[in-house]
Amino acid sequence: MKRLVSTILALSLIFALVGCGNSNDDVSTSSDGSELTTLLYGAPSTATSVTVWYALQQGYFEDYGVDLQITFFNSGTSINDAARAGEIDLYSLGSMMSTTGATTFGSQLLCYLAPDNAAYRVYARNDSEIITSGQGHIEKYPNIYGSADAWKNSTVLWTKGQSGHYTINAILEMLGLTSDDVTSIDMEQNQIPAAFAAGEGDVMVAGIPNWNEFEADPEHYTMVASLDELYPDYDNIATIMACPDALENKQEALKGFAKGVMRAQNEFANDDDLFKEWMYIWQSEYNVDVTEESAANDCAFYKMPTLEWSRQYFEGGEDSICANGFMKIAEFMNSVDQMSDEVFAEYNADDYIADDIILAALDELEAEQS
């Protein structure tokens, strides 16, 4: 299986380098002779990719006319850069980076991948100044550790542009600091735990399962804060976004991709054991120090949507649950200077949701299962 991951990575990188993401002639043939449209997918090496990986292994994308090529990236910024350059057709990011891509180069939400709020946590060593300075320095969030003096000049391990980055920025802002007051080291998510455990950095922020070992070792590490603690009403999700060229030239393939993802999600939602099994398989693939128990624990953070839930989430246009959630994201980004007043004034979340493709995919999936 690891050899297969390497093969997919190598092939997808070759395709990206020759610019296949811009062509409407990306076709291949399946084993039964049917025509497939190639989609280049930029993915993070995180637990949220389990659904796409499972659907790929089950052949669901081929079932719906898609030859999916996956490229794994080490940061949200690099994914957005590849999308902006037209090197990929679709990609996965958290809500904030997805919103940045939507407003800067016109990508649209194609799939709800997983809830992502509770997944991001900040940890520090127990002997660090951030922990020894105690809690209560932020009146609104008294459980967060660290005074302004303790945070200032600290070294933070994060993945630039992902939700953990914004979590740290929010803490710093509430302490009267900025990112210029700390030293940040941008790392791939699955590199952060080993670096932090080896003594690098004063504080780290990462998504599950990359903080599991620190949560399990309270003698040496303490959770400083979590994204859901800071923003309990903030509907941060892992998304799959479609790039403008694919939206124009590969709509049928995008619909097929959405069908494959939602079919897999529905199976996971209705079979906990299947979800746990494949979370373990997937995390083993990308070299996370995983056990069956830890994989099962991670599944609790990523509740999968059923087809019925997805319809309720996406239906309603500007009044949909999805559009309202992304309006809250935009409000938050504007409040912390991650979206300008000018962009926010023009922002309409429904303009960046491919709900016509999504709802058509749901119609076909429901018809298949009736």
Side-chain angles (χ1 to χ4, degrees), residues 47-48 112-121 123 207-209 211-212 215 223 226 228 236 275 279 283 294-304:
T48 57
Y112 172 108
L113 194 54
D116 213 22
N117 240 23
Y120 280 88
R121 292 186 178 182
Y123 282 84
I208 197 170
W211 46 257
N212 278 344
E215 176 67 17
M223 185 178 77
S226 65
D228 60 335
N236 185 49
F275 188 22
M279 181 66 82
Q283 291 183 350
S294 68
N297 180 63
D298 295 348
C299 288
F301 287 87
Y302 294 114
K303 185 177 181 180
M304 289 289 107

Side-chain angles (χ1 to χ4, degrees), residues 280-348:
Y280 176 73
I281 291 171
W282 166 238
Q283 291 183 350
S284 298
E285 287 297 333
Y286 72 91
N287 298 320
V288 168
D289 185 13
V290 62
T291 65
E292 291 184 1
E293 182 180 2
S294 68
N297 180 63
D298 295 348
C299 288
F301 287 87
Y302 294 114
K303 185 177 181 180
M304 289 289 107
T306 62
L307 296 183
E308 180 182 6
W309 187 97
S310 293
R311 183 169 291 282
Q312 292 173 351
Y313 183 74
F314 285 110
E315 277 190 334
E318 292 183 5
D319 295 323
S320 69
I321 296 171
C322 179
N324 283 323
F326 272 87
M327 285 305 302
K328 289 182 180 179
I329 297 291
E331 289 170 4
F332 165 72
M333 292 177 67
N334 178 248
S335 72
V336 296
D337 297 324
Q338 298 295 330
M339 178 184 286
S340 70
D341 291 340
E342 292 77 14
V343 171
F344 180 64
E346 298 293 327
Y347 182 78
N348 178 9

Side-chain angles (χ1 to χ4, degrees), residues 266-285:
N266 193 59
E267 291 178 9
F268 283 161
N270 289 293
D271 190 335
D272 286 343
D273 290 338
L274 180 70
F275 188 22
K276 293 172 184 176
E277 175 189 355
W278 277 88
M279 181 66 82
Y280 176 73
I281 291 171
W282 166 238
Q283 291 183 350
S284 298
E285 287 297 333

Side-chain angles (χ1 to χ4, degrees), residues 195-212:
F196 191 60
E200 189 169 355
D202 300 301
V203 63
M204 59 141 274
V205 58
I208 197 170
N210 293 304
W211 46 257
N212 278 344

Side-chain angles (χ1 to χ4, degrees), residues 111-283:
C111 295
Y112 172 108
L113 194 54
D116 213 22
N117 240 23
Y120 280 88
R121 292 186 178 182
V122 182
Y123 282 84
R125 297 179 192 84
N126 290 349
D127 60 359
S128 71
E129 287 188 40
I130 288 174
I131 300 302
T132 58
S133 64
Q135 299 167 295
H137 300 281
I138 300 173
E139 183 177 356
K140 188 176 180 181
Y141 301 102
N143 292 328
I144 293 177
Y145 279 88
S147 65
D149 287 341
W151 274 92
K152 194 169 186 178
N153 298 319
S154 64
T155 298
V156 181
L157 308 185
W158 64 20
T159 303
K160 186 178 180 181
Q162 292 191 356
S163 296
H165 177 181
Y166 292 101
T167 304
I168 297 294
N169 277 4
I171 294 171
L172 295 175
E173 182 183 22
M174 288 184 286
L175 289 168
L177 304 174
T178 72
S179 57
D180 292 334
D181 292 308
V182 300
T183 299
S184 60
I185 300 178
D186 184 19
M187 307 181 74
E188 187 174 352
Q189 280 277 300
N190 58 10
Q191 294 175 341
I192 291 175
F196 191 60
E200 189 169 355
D202 300 301
V203 63
M204 59 141 274
V205 58
I208 197 170
N210 293 304
W211 46 257
N212 278 344
E213 65 182 280
F214 309 111
E215 176 67 17
D217 187 7
E219 183 179 350
H220 298 100
Y221 303 97
T222 294
M223 185 178 77
V224 174
S226 65
L227 184 57
D228 60 335
E229 177 185 19
L230 283 165
Y231 303 106
D233 299 323
Y234 169 58
D235 189 21
N236 185 49
I237 66 170
T239 71
I240 295 179
M241 305 292 289
C243 297
D245 187 75
L247 287 163
E248 181 177 353
N249 297 311
K250 298 182 179 181
Q251 285 201 12
E252 279 300 309
L254 292 178
K255 182 175 68 174
F257 176 86
K259 287 175 67 176
V261 170
M262 289 190 287
R263 178 178 171 183
Q265 289 173 327
N266 193 59
E267 291 178 9
F268 283 161
N270 289 293
D271 190 335
D272 286 343
D273 290 338
L274 180 70
F275 188 22
K276 293 172 184 176
E277 175 189 355
W278 277 88
M279 181 66 82
Y280 176 73
I281 291 171
W282 166 238
Q283 291 183 350

Side-chain angles (χ1 to χ4, degrees), residues 92-113:
S92 176
L93 283 175
S95 296
M96 286 175 281
M97 284 297 286
S98 295
T99 300
T100 298
T103 56
T104 55
F105 55 86
S107 58
Q108 291 186 7
L109 177 67
L110 182 67
C111 295
Y112 172 108
L113 194 54

